[in-house]
Structure formats: C-alpha cells, structure tokens
Amino acid sequence: DSYQATIFLYLGRTLSVLYNEADNSEYQTNSLENAIGHGFGFGSVADDKLINNVEDRFDITVYEGYSLTETASIGTFNFPGERMIGSCGKSLPSAEVAIVDQQDRFLEPGESGEIVVRPTRQNTMFQGYYNEPEMTVEACQNQWIHTGGVGRLDQEGFLYFVANEINAIYRGQTVGRISAL
C-alpha cells in the first residue's frame, strides 16, 4: 500500500488464491482499483460468482483478457463500459480472433473449438519461432496463429476460454474439460 498502486496484473488462478486467503481488514484499505489479467475465463457460473466476490471483497474491478506469447500483445480484452464477466473480452483492433474445428473450418457463435488469432496490423505479432521453422509452420496455418486454446465466441464477439487442447476431449462440436485447471 505504500506505493499506492492502482492496477494489479495477474495470471492464472492468482485472484482465486488471494480471495481464499484469510480475511484481513488491511485489504479493505488498499489503493487498488483494477485487476487486469487472464485466469478465470472458463465461463462457468462459479467463475462469474468468484469474480463478483473478488470485486466486492477488494473493492476493485476485474478485467479479463486473452493472449499468448506468439501474439506479442493481448488478443482480447474486457474494456471499461464493455465488459462481460466470465469472458476474456472482445478482440482488440490489432487482432482478429476466431474459433475453428479440427479441419480449420470456422465455427458459429456458441460452438467450442480451437482459438485462432491473427494480426490486423503489421508487426503486432510474432513472425516465427527462432530457428524452429517446423514449429512455425505448425503454429501458423491458413494465415492464423493456432493457440492450442479451446474456447467459444458469443453472438456479441466475447471470447470464453474453456481449456487448453491438451486438456480437452472433442466429441463432435462439443469440447469438454477433463482436468481441473
């Protein structure tokens, strides 16, 4: 609190861990206003409730996003005034995000599949893996960066992260999470 920070950056289940710490009156007098990161986003009712609880307990606003190293920046984000709790937000102007099936066909809103991202502006995402041309070809198919993340988009374009492909089972157009993330 001595630095009067107003923004807290987080990854993974950090907010869940903080929320589950013993109640401490010191938390009620913090200078934080916002938590920005990626970690909830599984789109479940439990996550929506947890985000609301974190916001109430710490008197902050949580803004989820989605990104990976290869996109070199955030791909989606919940912005002030346009936020859907439980989602990872909408595409930024520098990125286009879509959901595809295992044959790289675009899926309709509400259908789960692999999250793919591509830049809409030059020099905003990676150009390839250093000295790894095979990995680059595998990750960048059909002009999209294949993230290995499973998600869905809603009708308004909000992204909901479901799981990493390594932790998912495909059943037709349905993807189920098989591990506790």
Side-chain angles (χ1 to χ4, degrees):
D1 196 42
S2 63
Y3 295 102
Q4 297 299 308
T6 59
I7 297 174
F8 169 66
L9 303 176
Y10 70 91
L11 288 174
R13 300 304 272 183
T14 304
L15 293 181
S16 177
V17 170
L18 288 174
Y19 181 75
N20 288 317
E21 285 292 312
D23 198 5
N24 183 334
S25 62
E26 181 180 317
Y27 295 148
Q28 300 305 321
T29 61
N30 72 69
S31 60
L32 292 176
E33 297 171 9
N34 300 298
I36 298 173
H38 172 68
F40 292 114
F42 297 110
S44 72
V45 173
D47 283 338
D48 294 357
K49 184 177 178 182
L50 183 56
I51 289 172
N52 286 323
N53 288 343
V54 165
E55 289 183 341
D56 290 344
R57 179 174 179 186
F58 299 107
D59 193 26
I60 61 174
T61 303
V62 176
Y63 294 103
E64 286 273 292
Y66 177 78
S67 183
L68 60 154
T69 304
E70 292 81 353
T71 63
S73 64
I74 297 174
T76 65
F77 193 70
N78 274 295
F79 292 95
E82 189 173 27
R83 180 173 79 126
M84 183 66 66
I85 293 179
S87 81
C88 298
K90 291 184 175 184
S91 297
L92 274 78
S94 61
E96 186 176 354
V97 176
I99 306 296
V100 298
D101 66 14
Q102 291 177 310
Q103 288 74 43
D104 259 358
R105 294 180 296 223
F106 294 104
L107 297 175
E108 295 295 321
E111 294 182 306
S112 295
E114 183 178 11
I115 303 166
V116 293
V117 182
R118 68 179 173 188
T120 59
R121 297 179 184 157
Q122 290 183 339
N123 302 316
T124 59
M125 295 188 188
F126 92 134
Q127 296 177 0
Y129 297 108
Y130 182 72
N131 286 335
E132 296 287 349
E134 295 83 16
M135 280 180 60
T136 302
V137 169
E138 184 178 329
C140 301
Q141 300 171 25
N142 300 321
Q143 300 180 0
W144 291 89
I145 297 170
H146 286 249
T147 69
V150 176
R152 62 181 170 80
L153 291 168
D154 69 12
Q155 291 287 345
E156 291 80 37
F158 285 95
L159 175 67
Y160 293 82
F161 180 82
V162 176
N164 289 315
E165 279 190 332
I166 198 164
N167 298 328
I169 298 174
Y170 284 89
R171 291 193 176 137
Q173 299 294 339
T174 305
V175 178
R177 192 171 72 202
I178 60 170
S179 67
L181 298 174

